[in-house]
Amino acid sequence: MSVAVIAAAIGLAPGIAQAAEPVAPGVGAPGAVAPGAVAPGVVAPGVGAPAVDLVKAAAPGLKTYKSPAERSVRKALPGARGGVAAQRAAGNPDLALVLNAAATTAHAFDLDTTVISADSPLKVTVDWGDGSSPDSMDAYGSTVLKSRHTYTKLGRYDVKVTVTDPANQAEVVNEFTVMTAGSDFVAHTPTRLLDTRDGTGAVQGKVPAYGSTRVRIGGNGAIPEGVTAVALNVTVTNTTSGGHITAFAEGAELPTTSNVNFEAGQSVPNLVIVPVGKNGYVELANRGPQSVDLIADVTGYFTRTDAAGYTPMTPVRFVDTREGLGTTRGRLAGQKTFGTRISGLRGVPEGITAVALNVTAANPGEAGHLSVFPGGGSAPIASNLNFTAGQTVANAVIVPVGPDGTINVRNGAWAGTDVIVDVVGFYSTDSKGAYMPIKSVRMLDTRDPRWTHGPMPARDYVWQALSAGELGIAGYVLNTTVTNTAGAGFLSVAPDPNTLEQYRQGSRELPERPTASTLNWTAGKTVANLVQAGSGNNGIVDFWNQGWDKADLVVDVFGYYETS
């Protein structure tokens, strides 16, 4: 049964102004620009905010591994079986190894090998446990040797370090197991894990004001124990006041950021990618003054074992029923489904396991919902976005791709609606982008007096250096919110072709204006949506105000995808 959507307005987290009814990507509205259209006029130079060091932000979650000297195992070399050789093998009796490894990126480790030895020439080798050629180093007596290794695939590896003392015919081995820090994605058929209206996954009944409920992730159904993060479509409904929902790992400190925002009488969905607590739960906190119902549908999870990495794309439109792109032209009729091919088209390769989308319902004839699911599968009860009559709304979606490379979209209403689908990235076994969650942080808020540039200018962009120039970061998981809107418009998010140095020197080139959008708004409204943004070549992302009036922008960052 679908989530009933009652009204159209979104209330935001503390410090964020009141709510918004969205206009879907590329859908025209009074004062907005139609699909693909570029308004005349000069675009002023973009403005930027200080870079955020995401690698530093992830550092508290990077694990260290140790193996003390007591675990060193000594043996005599093969030639030391008797006579003088055997006597020599008894030399250097304190020979031992202490190992300390620290994860530095999604795939890499730094290893400190402390050698305890008498003064003697030594040979040290490090077998990283992945079939690569061992590292070999020369040493003399007690010393500390440093080495670094990057694993091609995520997973658990047995690292073995050997020190050989030829002069004393002795050899010592110490070894331990390490686990790479990054997480790969495992697609999951859309499944409802929580519905407080009927007691699915929790006690039946609304979540109280400023209270919370838990969603079991690890060990729930086909989801294994030990998953690191999960992709959930979280919907808030039966609301009687404004407020916001914050998703976070159970046991962690409540973040100051928000994931889903609402007003009285409104139901709102939003995709969240959230870390999973040590006990396998995610917590959903109601930060409003009245109780609400919550629904959570899983579409995939992240694990430290080798699975599917992520590849971001500049958003590409795959479906627009208004134009007949990707499916039959004309509204998708009520209670009907269409399929569209994703794999092998417009830069998306064959063999992907899941796809990241921005899906929009436009001009619906009545209240209802859209469900997106793998081609060849059955329509789930889970919904991805909800709408009322005449409302146009967008939501981020991650969905598995069917064996034939297709996805399906079903209209759960009885009246027709237009559907727009933009592809923003994909997951595959050939993709190297491993997910690195961070403690969520507010990266940009144009209402903050410290942001001297003020709101986003009309028909202009704000640029943000997200990864401070670190190599190997392919994309970011963000939540974008537009508020204090004077007119209609939409937000586009795309990589910036310029470098930080070009901006500093005033020599930047004007980026090409994007045509796809992430979220849309009308006058006096506020709207939010999850964004999986690509980093481009320089780690700078542009946020384009495609409307004709100024608007404020809030950006929260939750993690990033790293390729090395």
Side-chain angles (χ1 to χ4, degrees), residues 465-476:
L466 280 94
S467 49
E470 291 91 348
L471 298 177
I473 295 182
Y476 319 96

Side-chain angles (χ1 to χ4, degrees), residues 38-46 457-461 508 510 513 544-545 548:
V38 178
V42 178
V43 180
R459 302 297 296 164
D460 201 354
Y461 71 98
R508 73 96 175 96
L510 180 65
R513 181 182 296 276
W544 286 82
N545 175 6
W548 293 98

